[in-house]
């Protein structure tokens, strides 16, 4: 059977999609190639969030195509994911060696399409159409493909985003919000736990909107009527008036025996209600960690971005979270150089970063995306200033992160051991509940999948080093 190699760009959602496609192909008899050079089929799972990510994938495909033409004319090349969705046929027009372009609602057709191409029945396939119910089709897992993945797993709970932040291409590449039903998600989580998974990360582009609109259990929606609340049949007995569907989902997943930890990504500050904050105090498996993209510290810019909250509301949210869980690890995403961002706006972002003291922040230089409102806004910020602001913010954020990590030294903390460290396979890595990576020397023991107490002995750059032996 043919072998396949999938290279993934971008976010956790993409990693999850690649895993599901790989699992689907393996189930059909394909093997996973250890490298591009050894593969009969090479798929690039792409990201469109920034221009740089698109350029990287296109550059990579150009190299693969040049090599294929010279050395391996039979190799099948494909784009899938976000850039495939937004560019479609245009990708084949530009790179005629590409055989397959598979959009974000079509991952479950990957095996059939590749079969047809490999058998010579079809030459090129471009499928980027909208497909009803596709949110519930990403469910296969590849638990033995990667040692670290069998302890932790991603589960996709929804697709798409309706927020339409003015800078963001995701609503175009991932489509309208569509959520899977709670029983369906719980069944997938249960299955994973029965196979040894201890920690599940629930994934979606905007998980705080989970179940608010669309979805597989919505197909009977009556025209012209506001759909009823997305109630899982298993939880009907509970008072649900104050609980959002997302918190109802957390409750349901929390009940799975054998599951140790629950995480989720990515929430939106706007939908982060008191019921979700309260869930941290109520559900012990929900770990003390939150990735809360703020994007800017300036109300003026937040409004231009169409984020739906103010600086004050965001700061209030952080306060509430820390009141509920003082040790909570909080990370964020920030964009610098959004159109119209003045020095004063940027200073407000700097001051917000100092005030919140994020454990880490992912900083992005604003990148113009086609067909997004911000791309045509006046006051596009010169590249040089975007770079300077990126650098200044990075220094601030890294300084704070450094202090936060240093403060762990000498502390005892619980980690879930995921597997060998990627940099040094003789060492093991795990994560604290607040999502910090801890590297330690296993001293010959098999700790994988265990919850282990370690003493932190040293802090590196966004990594902690620990020693389980000191505690024994
Ligand atoms: N809700 C999703 C957002 C996906 S995009 C999630 O958090 O997973 C991830 C991050 O990329 C965003 O939070 C934003 O900070 C950044 N980003 C999105 N569009 C961008 C653009 N046009 N330029 C620069 N950064 C962008
Ligand atoms: Fe993008 Fe905003 Fe949705 S950042 S994914 S449009 S919440």
């Amino acid at each position: 059977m043919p072998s396949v190699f999938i290279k993934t760009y971008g976010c956790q959602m993409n990693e999850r999609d690649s895993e599901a496609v790989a699992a689907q192909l393996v189930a059909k008899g394909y093997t996973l190639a250890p490298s591009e050079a050894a593969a009969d089929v090479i798929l690039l799972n792409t990201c469109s969030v920034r221009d740089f990510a698109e350029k990287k994938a296109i550059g990579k495909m150009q190299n693969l195509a040049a090599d294929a033409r010279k050395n391996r004319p039979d190799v099948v090349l494909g784009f899938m994911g976000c850039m495939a969705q937004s560019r479609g046929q245009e990708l084949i027009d530009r790179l005629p060696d590409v055989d397959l372009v598979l959009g974000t609602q079509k991952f479950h057709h990957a095996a059939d399409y590749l079969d047809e191409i490999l058998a010579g029945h079809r030459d090129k396939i471009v499928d980027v159409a909208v497909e009803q119910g596709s949110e519930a089709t990403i469910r296969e897992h590849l638990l033995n493909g990667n040692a670290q993945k069998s302890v932790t797993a991603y589960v996709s709970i929804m697709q798409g985003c309706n927020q339409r932040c003015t800078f963001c291409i995701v609503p175009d590449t991932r489509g309208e919000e569509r959520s899977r039903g709670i029983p369906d998600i719980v069944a997938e989580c249960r299955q994973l736990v029965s196979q040894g998974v201890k920690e599940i990360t629930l994934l979606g582009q905007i998980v705080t909107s989970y179940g608010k609109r669309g979805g597989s259990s919505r197909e009977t929606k009556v025209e012209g009527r506001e759909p009823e609340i997305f109630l899982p049949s298993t939880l009907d007995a509970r008072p649900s008036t104050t609980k959002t569907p997302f918190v109802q989902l957390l409750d349901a997943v929390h009940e799975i025996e054998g599951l140790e930890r629950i995480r989720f990504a990515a929430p939106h500050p706007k939908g982060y209600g008191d019921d979700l904050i309260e869930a941290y105090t109520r559900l012990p498996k929900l770990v003390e960690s939150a990735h809360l993209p703020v994007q800017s510290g300036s109300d003026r810019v937040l409004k231009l971005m169409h984020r739906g909250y103010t600086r004050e509301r965001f700061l209030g949210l952080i306060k509430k979270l820390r009141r509920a869980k003082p040790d909570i690890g909080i990370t964020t995403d920030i964009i610098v150089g959004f159109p119209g961002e003045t020095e004063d706006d940027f200073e407000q972002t700097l001051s917000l970063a100092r005030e919140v003291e994020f454990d880490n922040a992912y900083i992005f230089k604003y990148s113009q995306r086609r067909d997004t409102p911000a791309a045509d806004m006046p006051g596009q910020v010169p590249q040089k200033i975007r770079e300077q602001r990126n650098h200044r913010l990075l220094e601030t954020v890294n300084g704070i992160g450094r202090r936060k990590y240093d403060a762990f030294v000498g502390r005892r903390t619980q980690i879930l051991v995921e597997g060998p460290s990627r940099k040094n396979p003789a060492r093991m890595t795990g994560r604290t509940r607040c999502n910090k990576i801890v590297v330690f020397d296993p001293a010959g023991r098999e700790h994988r999948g265990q919850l282990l107490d370690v003493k932190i002995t040293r802090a590196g750059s966004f990594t902690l080093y620990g020693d389980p032996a000191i505690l024994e």
Side-chain angles (χ1 to χ4, degrees):
M1 271 311 261
S3 65
V4 60
F5 186 87
I6 305 179
K7 185 170 170 61
T8 309
Y9 298 86
C11 65
Q12 292 162 312
M13 269 64 89
N14 281 13
E15 278 180 42
R16 172 68 196 109
D17 296 337
S18 293
E19 188 209 2
V21 169
Q24 179 202 124
L25 291 170
V26 168
K28 289 262 171 120
Y30 285 71
T31 57
L32 298 180
S35 68
E36 291 151 22
D40 302 309
V41 176
I42 306 170
L43 300 175
L44 301 185
N45 191 5
T46 54
C47 171
S48 282
V49 162
R50 277 158 294 135
D51 187 45
F52 181 64
E54 290 204 343
K55 285 219 170 87
K56 252 194 344 204
I58 287 176
K60 178 80 197 170
M61 189 59 92
Q62 278 165 339
N63 291 341
L64 290 171
D67 178 59
R69 223 173 296 144
K70 217 160 73 198
N71 305 315
R72 306 190 292 155
D74 292 334
V75 73
V76 171
L77 299 175
F79 278 118
M80 59 186 225
C82 287
M83 186 173 67
Q85 184 69 40
S86 68
R87 296 187 178 250
Q89 175 66 37
E90 182 192 325
L91 287 169
I92 292 191
D93 296 343
R94 180 161 168 194
L95 293 155
D97 298 280
V98 171
D99 306 288
L100 173 66
V101 177
L102 194 66
T104 54
Q105 307 199 18
K106 297 292 175 179
F107 295 124
H108 53 298
H109 294 299
D112 291 343
Y113 289 158
L114 287 175
D115 283 350
E116 288 180 52
I117 292 169
L118 284 160
H121 298 322
R122 283 174 78 177
D123 185 19
K124 310 268 173 204
I125 300 180
V126 177
D127 190 357
V128 295
V130 169
E131 185 170 323
Q132 270 243 313
S134 65
E135 69 279 5
T137 56
I138 302 162
R139 43 160 41 112
E140 292 96 340
H141 288 265
L142 197 71
L143 287 177
N144 300 319
N146 172 342
Q148 319 227 348
K149 290 247 167 75
S150 355
V151 176
T152 64
Y154 293 140
V155 170
S156 167
I157 64 166
M158 67 180 299
Q159 287 288 320
C161 182
N162 287 20
Q163 175 64 24
R164 296 212 164 262
C165 299
T166 53
F167 53 79
C168 186
I169 199 170
V170 171
D172 290 336
T173 60
R174 292 282 179 167
E176 294 274 312
E177 285 169 20
R178 294 148 287 138
S179 299
R180 296 171 63 188
I182 291 183
D184 186 27
I185 297 168
V186 169
E188 182 175 329
C189 295
R190 249 187 232 292
Q191 172 75 21
L192 289 164
V193 171
S194 75
Q195 290 171 282
V197 166
K198 298 283 195 299
E199 175 184 298
I200 285 176
T201 305
L202 304 172
L203 289 184
Q205 273 77 26
I206 179 160
V207 293
T208 36
S209 295
Y210 170 79
K212 289 191 175 158
R213 46 172 86 76
S216 346
S217 56
R218 268 292 157 67
E219 274 147 29
T220 51
K221 186 181 145 187
V222 182
E223 273 307 313
R225 236 179 63 190
E226 192 51 29
E228 287 160 26
I229 187 119
F230 194 72
L231 249 192
S233 54
T234 47
L235 290 175
D236 293 3
R238 296 190 187 180
S240 64
T241 39
T242 54
K243 268 189 205 164
T244 50
F246 182 57
V247 173
Q248 295 173 42
L249 172 67
L250 289 176
D251 281 349
V253 172
H254 194 269
E255 278 174 24
I256 299 173
E257 221 167 294
L259 177 64
E260 301 282 359
R261 290 177 166 188
I262 304 171
R263 300 186 187 278
F264 57 83
H268 191 289
K270 190 178 100 174
Y272 219 103
D274 288 346
D275 62 332
L276 183 50
I277 293 168
E278 190 247 356
Y280 281 99
T281 60
R282 203 163 46 78
L283 304 175
K285 294 178 187 175
L286 183 59
V287 291
E288 296 80 32
S289 161
H291 180 69
L292 258 176
V294 65
Q295 313 299 0
S296 170
S298 150
D299 279 339
R300 210 180 63 79
V301 173
L302 286 171
K303 200 160 183 192
L304 287 171
M305 287 177 163
H306 191 240
R307 288 294 290 175
Y309 54 86
T310 59
R311 174 190 176 102
E312 195 186 321
R313 163 142 162 80
F314 184 84
L315 291 174
L317 190 53
I318 301 289
K319 258 197 207 116
K320 283 193 206 170
L321 276 168
R322 289 201 168 128
R323 210 177 300 139
K325 285 283 168 189
D327 281 340
I328 194 164
I330 300 178
T331 54
T332 197
D333 293 343
I334 300 174
I335 296 178
V336 295
F338 183 82
E341 183 188 74
T342 61
E343 176 61 23
D344 180 57
D345 293 318
F346 175 66
E347 300 263 351
Q348 290 184 48
T349 298
L350 278 175
S351 91
L352 180 124
R354 281 192 216 104
E355 189 168 340
V356 174
E357 299 196 311
F358 294 107
D359 292 75
N360 199 358
Y362 301 92
I363 303 167
F364 303 102
K365 286 171 276 182
Y366 170 70
S367 168
Q368 269 171 296
R369 308 316 296 132
R370 72 159 115 170
D371 300 330
T372 57
D376 301 318
M377 281 183 187
Q380 298 286 329
V381 175
Q383 199 58 34
K384 203 163 155 219
I385 294 181
R386 291 184 214 179
E387 263 152 38
Q388 284 167 355
R389 289 183 183 163
N390 179 58
H391 183 72
R392 284 164 68 195
L393 185 56
L394 207 57
E395 279 200 331
T396 302
V397 160
N398 286 349
I400 295 166
R402 174 94 237 168
R403 283 204 302 281
K404 291 224 144 190
Y405 275 69
D406 283 347
F408 270 81
V409 177
R411 275 172 63 178
R412 178 190 179 127
T413 183
Q414 184 210 62
I415 60 169
L416 173 64
V417 183
E418 294 179 10
S421 155
R422 232 178 286 164
K423 275 195 205 144
N424 176 0
R427 305 190 118 198
M428 298 289 274
T429 80
R431 265 169 214 269
T432 65
R433 287 176 62 94
C434 61
N435 210 19
K436 295 191 168 51
I437 292 174
V438 178
V439 177
F440 67 99
D441 179 356
R445 302 218 201 134
E446 174 56 71
H447 292 294
R448 205 163 65 82
Q450 282 179 17
L451 289 168
L452 193 70
D453 274 346
V454 292
K455 185 154 180 177
I456 303 303
T457 51
R458 185 161 72 82
S461 172
F462 296 104
T463 307
L464 297 172
Y465 295 86
D467 192 340
I470 297 178
L471 302 172
E472 290 169 353

